Amino acid sequence: MFHFKDKIAVVTGGAQGIGQCICEKFREAGATVCVIDLLENDCFVGDLADKAVLEAFAGRVIADHGHVDYLINNAPPKMCGIESGSYEDFEYALRVGVTAPFYLAKLFVPYFAEGASIVNISSSRDRMSQPQTESYTAAKGGISALTHALAVSLAGKVRVNSISPGWIDTAYTVYRGPDASQQPAGRVGIPPDIANTVLYLCSDLAGFITGENICIDGGMTRQMIYHGDWGWKLEEK
């Protein structure tokens, strides 16, 4: 479906999980993929929270390829909560989850090719929460807002969109029973559910889409549940 021959795709956090699947899909479509991750990979190992690392990585990409077609900000921020998370924990999460995507976009602005696209991986937690997830949730809310800000600032040069995944099982576990049936789609998500949409947003098929967030969560955030619905009971603390 997608043809990205001679295209350069940059993927953060591409060594495992959703990021790895995104990289595989791009390669299958003919693109050259440049990865930065804390984990070992065949491109660049480094901490996205470090400004010097971001500059070195961007410099390597441009030196090797001369331009960028697609920037996929996928690397997940640290998750901690109000009870146990420190100032440093929260700041680190924002540097990885919001500052790094901003700075990489800034570094690549002079080198984005015609028809370039940025896709930010947010989360359905940008609109809903579990307890003790403040750092991750704040970072995901930040990157969702950063998406439409960049789309306006880069209008006419780069399309910028984001995806908010819900429950995505990176081990490809097949869930039965309530874990599956609680979701309107009837199953838990898998990495290709996200990766295929990333490639779509980067393709010419999505040429009229920018500044948008697509929530891919099996319908979970659209389903209202009240005490007593389908046997669900709220237990008082």
Side-chain angles (χ1 to χ4, degrees):
M1 179 182 297
F2 302 112
H3 303 283
F4 294 128
K5 187 176 185 297
D6 300 324
K7 302 296 187 181
I8 306 301
V10 173
V11 181
T12 71
Q16 65 177 357
I18 292 172
Q20 183 179 43
C21 185
I22 292 169
C23 292
E24 291 169 353
K25 293 289 185 181
F26 267 122
R27 291 183 180 118
E28 289 171 5
T32 297
V33 181
C34 303
V35 172
I36 180 171
D37 202 302
L38 281 171
L39 300 177
E40 286 296 324
N41 64 85
D42 59 5
C43 183
F44 198 100
V45 176
D47 188 346
L48 287 162
D50 188 327
K51 178 185 177 186
V53 167
L54 296 174
E55 292 171 343
F57 172 63
R60 169 85 65 82
V61 171
I62 298 307
D64 289 349
H65 305 289
H67 75 280
V68 172
D69 294 282
Y70 314 118
L71 170 60
I72 316 303
N73 290 304
N74 165 78
K78 181 175 185 176
M79 185 182 289
C80 64
I82 191 85
E83 288 183 2
S84 61
S86 66
Y87 178 94
E88 290 76 18
D89 290 333
F90 193 86
E91 183 183 49
Y92 183 81
L94 294 184
R95 290 207 309 270
V96 171
V98 183
T99 306
F102 165 79
Y103 198 48
L104 284 176
K106 181 177 177 68
L107 291 170
F108 287 134
V109 161
Y111 305 101
F112 279 120
E114 183 177 355
S117 181
I118 296 172
V119 180
N120 297 320
I121 305 301
S122 182
S123 169
S124 59
R125 292 174 189 266
D126 64 2
R127 67 204 68 187
M128 59 193 299
S129 295
Q130 290 175 302
Q132 305 305 320
T133 62
E134 278 76 12
S135 68
Y136 188 92
T137 300
K140 291 306 186 180
I143 201 170
S144 290
L146 177 66
T147 295
H148 56 74
L150 285 174
V152 173
S153 294
L154 301 180
K157 184 174 180 64
V158 183
R159 290 185 301 104
V160 187
N161 293 288
S162 62
I163 295 172
S164 291
W167 182 0
I168 305 296
D169 191 285
T170 57
Y172 294 83
T173 305
V174 177
Y175 290 85
R176 310 290 185 189
D179 283 331
S181 62
Q182 70 176 328
Q183 309 198 51
R187 65 174 176 87
V188 171
I190 55 176
D193 292 323
I194 308 305
N196 288 331
T197 307
V198 169
L199 268 65
Y200 167 72
L201 288 173
C202 289
S203 76
D204 292 340
L205 295 172
F208 198 54
I209 303 175
T210 192
E212 188 58 75
N213 175 277
I214 300 175
C215 187
I216 303 176
D217 69 342
M220 281 291 287
T221 55
R222 296 302 189 189
Q223 180 168 267
M224 298 177 68
I225 301 177
Y226 291 93
H227 175 73
D229 285 353
W230 304 298
W232 187 87
K233 303 292 185 182
L234 176 63
E235 294 182 2
E236 298 291 343
K237 291 184 178 180

